[in-house]
């Protein structure tokens, strides 16, 4: 693993020719140099220069290397930067990005408030006197729910593009996909923001057991996989099956249909809180749990003993669920299944078994510490060998293009980004089945995908994508043109290009043409 200063050479002449030297100085954390007519000219510090390895390293662990992230990498060094990414203390955004998120409705009202409001609206529109009025009100109702999901996507995109804790944001997307829910079911559009920000993000680099429990207690998951209807005498196995098949143990790990049935019985009574407190039998009042929109209702629970993976769980209420989560999250099969998925996401479609086993060993020794598992992967020779070779899925492709094009200049409209992700087949919250989007690169290399990427590269490269036109009616688009031939390009990115890409770029007839060719080149795709 090379240091950020490794291979540093002075390319001042090139940077001065493009007027890019001074911005690199400031971003490196050095104090800005103020011109003074009476003072002697300030010494010109050498601009930052990065090796192709350093750029590939940062690119692999973020949503895309850009000048400001590379400057932070330079300032902290490899170990310092990696420590900050694995154990981020900050959860801060640039002021403009934070302002946009705070202005959203989802930031002003909690998930329980939104659910209550829409429940009341739904009841009211059913009482409207005419079908025409009902139809019109229903359209507004649906549009408002869709708007809340778009706001959730806006917040997710702004965090992905501008959050300093980039590795955490990569893992937020990974876990959202691992614990996938689809926004189109029921009222899930109201819950997406809360699901990603309060169930997923706080645990994205923490303990897997906590993450699993947070998703289990969230109404988005309970509604999506039907556990809200799972009750004694009316068993619904859907969620129990997906927990074992997708979230923890994995297919072929040795669990049986009987284990699925037993877990479903354990999960009876785990559901969503309604407006009224449920009636329970005398003596079971203490077992009732209501926490926000989460509810465990003992009146709907199967109190018989169960046997899960060979271990007897005594019927006792929600404590059974806690015991089952302990068993599932600490099973060796879960360690391997989760580690393998992480390795696929970051390293290769078929990650080496030796790497997966080392990550799984760390998973078990650390009691499912996700940051520790990532550290084992990042420090491995297999990860080192994969740098610069992992083909980008659509989300990573789009985010990395926007990050490189505009660096820390905050976009004012995320709708073009949402549209691009939908067009490329990986829209946020749009995967219908619980298995999430494919992690393997072969799922994203068809000719239609490449054609769409070229068109998106053209839109970003021409500066006419609408990213700086606020969504408000009558808003005027702010001038913006991406400078892809920027300080990062000349200080290291260009060294990664293949001869074929260099030849193609040399044929560009305009800056827009050059940008398009660069963003659609094979070198930028990985």
């Amino acid at each position: 693993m090379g240091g950020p200063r490794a291979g540093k050479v002075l390319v001042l002449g090139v940077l001065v020719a493009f007027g890019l030297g001074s911005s690199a100085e400031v971003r490196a954390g050095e104090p800005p140099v103020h011109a003074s007519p009476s003072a002697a000219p300030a010494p010109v510090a050498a601009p930052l220069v990065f090796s192709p390895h350093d750029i590939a390293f940062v690119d692999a662990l973020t949503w895309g290397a850009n000048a400001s992230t590379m400057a932070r990498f330079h300032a902290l060094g490899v170990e310092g930067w990696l420590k900050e990414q694995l154990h981020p203390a900050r959860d801060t955004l640039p002021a403009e990005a934070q302002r946009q998120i705070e202005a959203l409705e989802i930031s002003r009202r909690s998930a329980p408030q939104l659910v209550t409001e829409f429940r009341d609206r739904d009841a009211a529109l059913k009482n409207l006197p005419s079908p025409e009025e009902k139809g019109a009100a229903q359209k507004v109702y649906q549009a408002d729910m869709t708007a809340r999901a778009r706001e959730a996507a806006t917040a997710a995109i702004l965090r992905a593009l501008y959050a300093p804790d980039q590795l955490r944001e990569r893992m937020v997307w990974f876990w959202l996909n691992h614990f996938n829910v689809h926004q189109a079911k029921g009222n899930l559009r109201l819950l997406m923001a809360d699901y990603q920000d309060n169930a997923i993000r706080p645990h994205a680099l923490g303990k897997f057991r906590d993450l699993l429990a947070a998703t289990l207690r969230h109404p988005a998951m309970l509604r999506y996989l039907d556990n809200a209807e799972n009750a004694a005498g009316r068993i619904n196995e859907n969620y129990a099956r997906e927990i074992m098949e997708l979230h923890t143990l994995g297919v072929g790990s040795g669990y049986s249909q009987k284990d699925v049935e037993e877990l479903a019985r354990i999960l009876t009574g785990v559901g969503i809180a309604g407006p009224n407190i449920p009636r329970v039998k005398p003596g079971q009042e203490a077992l009732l749990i209501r926490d926000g929109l989460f509810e465990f209702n003992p009146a709907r629970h199967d109190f018989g003993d169960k046997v899960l993976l060979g271990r007897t769980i005594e019927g006792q209420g929600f404590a059974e669920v806690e015991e089952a989560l302990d068993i599932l999250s600490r099973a060796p099969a879960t360690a391997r299944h989760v580690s393998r998925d992480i390795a696929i996401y970051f390293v290769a479609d078929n990650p080496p078994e030796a790497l997966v086993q080392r990550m799984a060993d760390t998973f078990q020794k650390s009691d499912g510490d996700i940051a520790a598992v990532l550290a084992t992967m990042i420090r491995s020779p297999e990860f080192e060998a994969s740098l610069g070779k992992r083909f980008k899925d659509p989300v990573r492709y789009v985010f990395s293009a926007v990050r490189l094009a505009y660096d820390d200049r905050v976009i004012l409209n995320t709708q073009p980004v949402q549209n691009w992700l939908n067009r490329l087949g990986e829209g946020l919250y749009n995967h219908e089945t619980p298995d999430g989007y494919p992690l393997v690169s072969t799922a994203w290399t068809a000719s239609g995908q490449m054609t769409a990427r070229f068109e998106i590269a053209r839109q970003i490269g021409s500066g006419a994508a609408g990213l700086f036109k606020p969504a408000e009616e009558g808003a005027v688009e702010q001038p913006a043109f991406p400078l892809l031939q920027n300080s990062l390009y000349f200080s290291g990115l260009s060294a990664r290009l293949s001869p074929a890409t260099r030849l193609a770029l040399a044929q560009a007839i305009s800056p827009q043409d050059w940008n398009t060719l660069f963003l659609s080149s094979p070198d930028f795709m990985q």
Side-chain angles (χ1 to χ4, degrees), residues 351-368:
E353 282 303 311
L355 171 62
V356 173
Q357 190 56 55
R358 292 200 300 277
M359 293 169 66
D361 290 344
T362 298
F363 188 105
Q364 289 201 273
K365 290 175 184 174
S366 65
D367 194 22

Side-chain angles (χ1 to χ4, degrees), residues 48 142 298 310 414 437 440:
L48 303 181
Q142 291 295 333
T414 67
Y437 289 111
V440 294

Side-chain angles (χ1 to χ4, degrees), residues 325-456:
L325 290 180
D326 287 340
I327 293 171
L328 291 167
S329 64
R330 290 164 182 156
T334 296
R336 282 191 56 80
H337 177 62
V338 172
S339 296
R340 180 175 172 76
D341 277 358
I342 292 175
I344 291 173
Y345 184 52
F346 283 101
V347 178
D349 285 3
N350 293 297
E353 282 303 311
L355 171 62
V356 173
Q357 190 56 55
R358 292 200 300 277
M359 293 169 66
D361 290 344
T362 298
F363 188 105
Q364 289 201 273
K365 290 175 184 174
S366 65
D367 194 22
D369 188 315
I370 297 162
V373 174
L374 283 168
T376 295
M377 179 195 73
I378 293 167
R379 298 181 189 284
S380 73
E382 293 90 344
F383 177 76
E384 182 75 13
S386 75
L387 293 179
K389 300 175 183 175
R390 194 78 183 106
F391 189 80
K392 295 174 180 176
D393 67 354
V395 174
R396 191 174 162 219
Y397 172 72
V398 170
F399 287 176
S400 64
V402 176
R403 276 175 57 80
L404 183 63
Y406 293 105
D407 198 353
D408 53 4
R409 181 180 176 185
V410 178
I411 63 173
L412 302 177
N413 189 348
T414 67
Q415 196 56 51
V417 177
Q418 296 187 45
N419 295 342
W420 293 331
L421 297 180
N422 288 331
R423 183 176 176 185
L424 292 173
E426 204 172 18
L428 297 176
Y429 330 128
N430 275 349
H431 192 72
E432 292 187 12
T433 51
D435 54 346
Y437 289 111
L439 297 175
V440 294
S441 60
T442 50
W444 309 109
T445 55
S447 58
Q449 174 82 195
M450 294 301 103
T451 301
R453 289 191 186 200
F454 183 85
E455 175 57 26
I456 291 166

Side-chain angles (χ1 to χ4, degrees), residues 204 212 245 381 398:
L212 180 63
E245 180 176 320
V398 170

Side-chain angles (χ1 to χ4, degrees), residues 264-284:
R265 290 179 60 215
I266 291 169
L267 291 172
T268 50
V270 173
I272 301 171
N276 302 315
I277 297 176
R279 299 176 60 182
V280 298
K281 295 178 181 176
Q284 290 187 345

